[in-house]
């Protein structure tokens, strides 16, 4: 029986691909011992047990960004985290470690190397995090979601995705999706969303321009985020939802998408071959703009500036796209070529290689 230790967490961007690979390993071999390493504070503390996997805990030890008290205590705290992971590896006779970034990944890579256990790195973002940059230096194999990601030994494997996205037949599901959202399956739909918490910039722009969108003959499916207080105008052709737990149905209905460009969002949209207008979140280290680069390069998507995205930008940029069916068709054709639904299988192939399994 093979024992796998999957390390990562903190955010959905780390936890979701980890769980996709865990599910893939379990589906392939029900007797495999699939364990997850994470922190007590991260999102994994809730999602991993809920999916039926054992969560092994490691201390959360952020890399210091400036000289302060935390920086002086970092070496001792990091050594303790490494020791914790080494104990887990020995106790569960772990055969291979697979890291997805985040606080749990860095000590996992060091512990695996010291225990003589091979480890694999997967990087979801186009701009890699520090843990994976360090881990890639000694990894048996390294996979990246996007071409152009600068990571030592990185091979483009795509993103491990949710099963409901991988298995989605958009055409066959369109009628069901239209009924679910109260829209007309025979008319085109613009899907706008800003991630699990929504995006105030996108919501404000749509509040000022939804009438112009409907005037083109397109319908609008707008997922505002649970914290939004945007008023629903309750007009035909405009489906406003605070939260959608069936994003597969939203994707099935979408003929064009306006959204942020987080790694998972871009990967899912690209895998489904949907043209998109991305408004990268301007806070952070610029990874959202880089995440969309490969889709933009082939003509499947376009980048819009966050700072200037408002109702006028919708009228000036988005509306002309809606009024150009030929352009939509070209973007859709390009989108079919840029994504992959086989990210989970590709990562598992890297794991097999690290184990010497042909």
């Amino acid at each position: 029986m093979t024992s796998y230790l999957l390390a990562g967490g903190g955010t959905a961007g780390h936890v979701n691909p980890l769980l996709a690979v865990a599910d893939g390993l379990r589906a392939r071999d029900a007797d495999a011992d699939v364990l997850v390493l994470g922190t007590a504070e991260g999102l994994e503390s809730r999602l991993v047990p809920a999916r039926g996997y054992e969560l092994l805990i490691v201390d959360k030890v952020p890399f210091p960004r400036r000289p302060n008290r935390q920086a002086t205590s970092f070496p001792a705290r990091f050594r303790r985290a490494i020791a914790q992971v080494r104990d887990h590896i020995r106790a569960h006779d772990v055969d291979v470690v697979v890291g997805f970034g985040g606080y749990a990944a860095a000590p996992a890579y060091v512990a695996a190397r010291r225990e003589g256990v091979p480890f694999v790195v997967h990087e979801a973002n186009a701009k890699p995090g520090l843990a994976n940059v360090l881990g890639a230096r000694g990894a048996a194999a390294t996979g990246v979601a996007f071409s152009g990601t600068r990571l030592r030994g990185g091979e483009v494997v795509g993103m491990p995705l949710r099963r409901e996205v991988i298995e989605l037949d958009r055409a066959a599901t369109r009628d069901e999706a239209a009924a679910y959202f109260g829209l007309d399956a025979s008319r085109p739909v613009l899907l706008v969303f800003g991630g699990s918490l929504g995006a105030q910039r996108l919501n404000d722009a749509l509040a000022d321009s939804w009438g112009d969108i409907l005037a083109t003959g397109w319908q609008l499916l707008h997922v505002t985020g649970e914290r939004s207080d945007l008023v629903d105008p309750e007009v035909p052709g405009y489906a406003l939802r605070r939260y959608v737990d069936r994003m597969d149905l939203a994707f099935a209905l979408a003929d064009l998408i306006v959204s942020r460009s987080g790694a998972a969002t871009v990967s899912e949209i690209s895998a489904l071959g949907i043209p998109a207008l991305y408004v990268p979140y301007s806070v952070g280290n610029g990874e959202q703009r880089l995440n969309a680069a490969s889709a933009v390069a082939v003509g499947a998507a376009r980048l819009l500036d966050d700072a200037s995205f408002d109702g006028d930008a919708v009228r000036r940029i988005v509306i002309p796209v809606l009024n150009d069916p030929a352009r939509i068709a070209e973007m859709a054709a390009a989108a079919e070529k840029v994504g992959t639904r086989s990210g989970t299988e590709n990562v598992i192939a890297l794991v097999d290689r690290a184990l010497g399994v042909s």
Side-chain angles (χ1 to χ4, degrees):
M1 180 182 70
T2 304
S3 179
Y4 304 89
L5 180 62
L6 277 53
T11 66
H14 293 134
V15 178
N16 288 336
L18 181 155
L19 287 174
V21 172
D23 289 347
L25 290 168
R26 177 177 281 178
R28 185 179 69 168
D29 181 4
D31 293 327
D33 189 16
V34 182
L35 307 162
V36 178
L37 179 76
T39 68
E41 300 88 352
L43 194 61
E44 65 272 19
S45 64
R46 177 171 57 86
L47 296 183
V48 169
R51 192 72 72 90
Y53 296 102
E54 182 178 357
L55 179 66
L56 308 179
I57 298 297
V58 62
D59 289 347
K60 177 181 176 180
V61 186
F63 285 107
R65 302 292 181 178
R66 59 183 61 87
N68 54 22
R69 175 180 293 183
Q70 186 180 51
T72 59
S73 66
F74 172 79
R77 296 168 61 220
F78 192 62
R79 284 194 298 269
R80 172 179 166 79
I82 294 169
Q84 290 171 338
V85 184
R86 295 183 73 175
D87 287 343
H88 290 316
I89 290 174
R90 293 169 184 169
H92 295 274
D93 197 18
V94 169
D95 295 293
V96 63
V97 171
V98 190
F100 296 84
Y103 295 117
Y109 298 145
V110 178
R113 184 171 64 247
R114 293 183 181 176
E115 290 295 315
V117 172
F119 63 92
V120 173
V121 171
H122 181 268
E123 176 55 58
N125 283 294
K127 189 169 185 177
L130 182 56
N132 281 349
V133 169
L134 298 175
R137 296 175 180 175
T142 299
V144 299
F146 301 107
S147 61
T149 300
R150 295 184 178 181
L151 199 59
R152 179 179 294 184
E155 304 173 43
V156 179
V157 296
M159 180 80 80
L161 300 175
R162 297 176 289 173
R163 181 59 54 184
E164 57 266 31
V165 171
I166 294 173
E167 297 177 348
L168 178 63
D169 183 332
R170 296 180 63 233
T173 313
R174 187 175 179 90
D175 286 344
E176 176 190 353
Y180 185 85
F181 292 109
L183 297 174
D184 183 349
S186 67
R187 295 171 53 208
V189 174
L190 173 66
L191 169 62
V192 180
F193 67 99
S196 59
L197 298 179
Q200 189 65 43
R201 183 86 66 181
L202 272 60
N203 290 343
D204 290 344
L206 268 292
D208 183 48
S209 61
W210 62 264
D212 300 281
I213 293 171
L214 297 187
T216 66
W218 279 63
Q219 301 170 102
L220 177 60
L221 173 53
H222 182 190
V223 185
T224 65
E226 292 180 290
R227 298 177 182 175
S228 172
D229 58 1
L230 190 65
V231 177
D232 186 349
E234 299 183 353
V235 297
Y238 183 4
L240 186 150
R241 301 288 187 272
R242 305 291 176 202
Y243 175 78
V244 172
D245 59 4
R246 290 294 307 275
M247 278 302 292
D248 56 316
L249 295 182
F251 285 143
L253 201 55
D255 297 288
L256 179 70
I257 291 175
V258 174
S259 75
R260 294 299 197 196
S261 50
T265 296
V266 173
S267 295
E268 291 184 344
I269 292 172
S270 297
L272 294 171
I274 308 173
L277 304 175
Y278 291 118
V279 188
Y281 191 41
S282 58
V283 176
N285 59 11
E287 68 271 14
Q288 286 213 354
R289 180 171 291 273
L290 294 173
N291 290 342
S294 56
V296 172
V298 300
R302 177 177 175 181
L303 287 179
L304 306 182
D305 181 60
D306 176 72
S308 61
F309 190 77
D310 56 14
D312 287 339
V314 173
R315 286 182 281 270
R316 187 178 67 255
I317 301 171
V318 180
I319 297 295
V321 176
L322 300 181
N323 285 327
D324 190 347
R327 184 176 181 185
I328 294 286
E330 290 173 1
M331 293 176 70
E336 293 284 353
K337 303 174 184 177
V338 72
T340 179
R341 300 192 189 194
S342 61
T344 296
E345 292 78 8
N346 294 341
V347 172
I348 291 176
L350 294 184
V351 176
D352 287 343
R353 188 200 307 169
L355 287 169
V357 178
S358 59

